[in-house]
Amino acid sequence: MLSKKELYRWCCIKKEELLSHPDRKVPLRIVKDADELGEVMARDFADEIKAANAENRAFKAIVPCGPKQWYEPFARMVNEERISLKNMVVFHMDENLDWEGKLLPKEDPSNFRTFMDRYFYGPIDPELAVLPINRYYLTPDNVKEISAIIVETEIDYTLGGWGQDGHVAYNQAKRNPYVPVTIEEIKESTARVQENNFDTILALSQREYGAAWQFQPPMSVTLGVKECMKAKKIRVYSGTGAWKQTALRAALFADEPLAEYPMTLLQQHPDALITATEETADHPFSHHPEWEFKGVNV
């Protein structure tokens, strides 16, 4: 169990010290704001695809849903630089489900497939686009099939963000007191249907629906950590500020991976990179040395 003293110590580190801090466990890059982060993400992704094309090999990637700030510059780069995506294979990371574990209606604003069809695939010139046969969407009915395909596939790249508890895809910290899950079990997790945590529902509803949690889908289908970590490179990005700050500190400074923050497993990957905006890399504790909390004075 993570102690408050440890967490407080990590969160008190000033943003300006993160890049050179001797205790940092995962490579970190800090950019100005969400617009710059979108450009950086798009450039990273486009360059990896260009390198694969130059070597005349397929490029196989695990890709999340949005945000639009990532995919608008990506589409622009692909179209302007004439980067062919014909040899790209896309495994979609996750999908929202209703309370019965069923897919959402096509026009539901939380439908990830609709979003990706509209903002990831839609803006790409047709002659450059990912072939439909190479687009693998997760559904409640195909989780075993997709997982089996990934087991037999060399994955080049996992692109993602992270959640308030450091979840990548929907690999959340498990909150059910009757079903304890260790960090080793999270590391070995594979594609599955699950109920989302209350804090995930609240965090996402605050971001998307003005905290109208009643409209946030309560279940999901997700690739597991084992599948996401299989990639040769993992690149995670966030420009959404305060609700990602503490998870970032845990990922950077935890002495070992923690079930409370699954993102800490990036410490065990040979080629992971975290990119955060200045706001996301900041933390309020680092600005208030006068704050005192029982049991955490350091």
Side-chain angles (χ1 to χ4, degrees), residues 54-72:
E55 297 172 11
N56 196 31
R57 60 178 171 83
F59 181 75
K60 289 150 286 188
I62 294 172
V63 177
C65 175
K68 286 186 286 186
Q69 291 100 322
W70 295 6
Y71 296 142
E72 288 172 354

Side-chain angles (χ1 to χ4, degrees), residues 108-125:
D108 189 297
S110 292
N111 187 307
F112 285 176
R113 178 166 186 166
T114 297
F115 179 98
M116 294 299 278
D117 286 344
R118 186 171 295 156
Y119 296 109
F120 182 73
Y121 295 115
I124 304 296
D125 290 350

Side-chain angles (χ1 to χ4, degrees), residues 173-243:
K174 305 313 291 182
R175 308 294 191 204
N176 189 330
Y178 301 105
V179 188
V181 178
T182 67
I183 189 62
E184 291 78 16
E185 289 171 317
I186 293 173
K187 182 179 178 180
E188 293 300 313
S189 63
T190 55
R192 63 196 180 277
V193 172
Q194 63 182 5
E195 290 190 355
N196 289 340
N197 290 339
F198 297 157
D199 55 307
T200 296
I201 293 170
L202 289 172
L204 292 174
S205 69
Q206 187 276 332
R207 175 181 170 184
E208 302 293 342
Y209 299 133
W213 53 265
Q214 297 90 339
F215 298 91
Q216 180 62 40
M219 296 186 69
S220 60
V221 56
T222 184
L223 293 181
V225 169
K226 187 173 184 177
E227 290 134 346
C228 294
M229 292 277 283
K230 188 176 188 288
K232 296 176 185 176
K233 296 183 179 183
I234 299 179
R235 300 292 184 264
V236 297
Y237 306 78
S238 182
T240 42
W243 67 303

Side-chain angles (χ1 to χ4, degrees), residues 41-147:
M41 187 291 307
R43 185 75 270 161
D44 290 347
F45 201 26
D47 285 349
E48 291 289 334
I49 298 167
K50 289 171 70 173
N53 288 346
E55 297 172 11
N56 196 31
R57 60 178 171 83
F59 181 75
K60 289 150 286 188
I62 294 172
V63 177
C65 175
K68 286 186 286 186
Q69 291 100 322
W70 295 6
Y71 296 142
E72 288 172 354
F74 176 70
R76 185 189 72 242
M77 291 175 190
V78 168
N79 292 335
E80 290 179 353
E81 299 172 29
R82 311 311 294 166
I83 304 171
S84 176
L85 308 183
K86 297 282 187 185
N87 290 326
M88 185 174 173
V89 179
V90 177
F91 295 94
H92 290 274
M93 185 175 272
D94 45 21
E95 179 59 271
N96 284 315
L97 304 174
D98 71 12
W99 72 276
E100 293 183 293
K102 296 177 180 177
L103 291 170
L104 304 176
K106 182 177 180 181
E107 292 307 316
D108 189 297
S110 292
N111 187 307
F112 285 176
R113 178 166 186 166
T114 297
F115 179 98
M116 294 299 278
D117 286 344
R118 186 171 295 156
Y119 296 109
F120 182 73
Y121 295 115
I124 304 296
D125 290 350
E127 63 270 24
L128 302 173
V130 178
L131 298 175
I133 196 174
N134 288 334
R135 306 174 188 181
Y136 290 90
Y137 287 98
L138 274 178
T139 74
D141 298 320
N142 70 7
V143 285
K144 291 183 179 179
E145 175 189 347
I146 298 296
S147 184

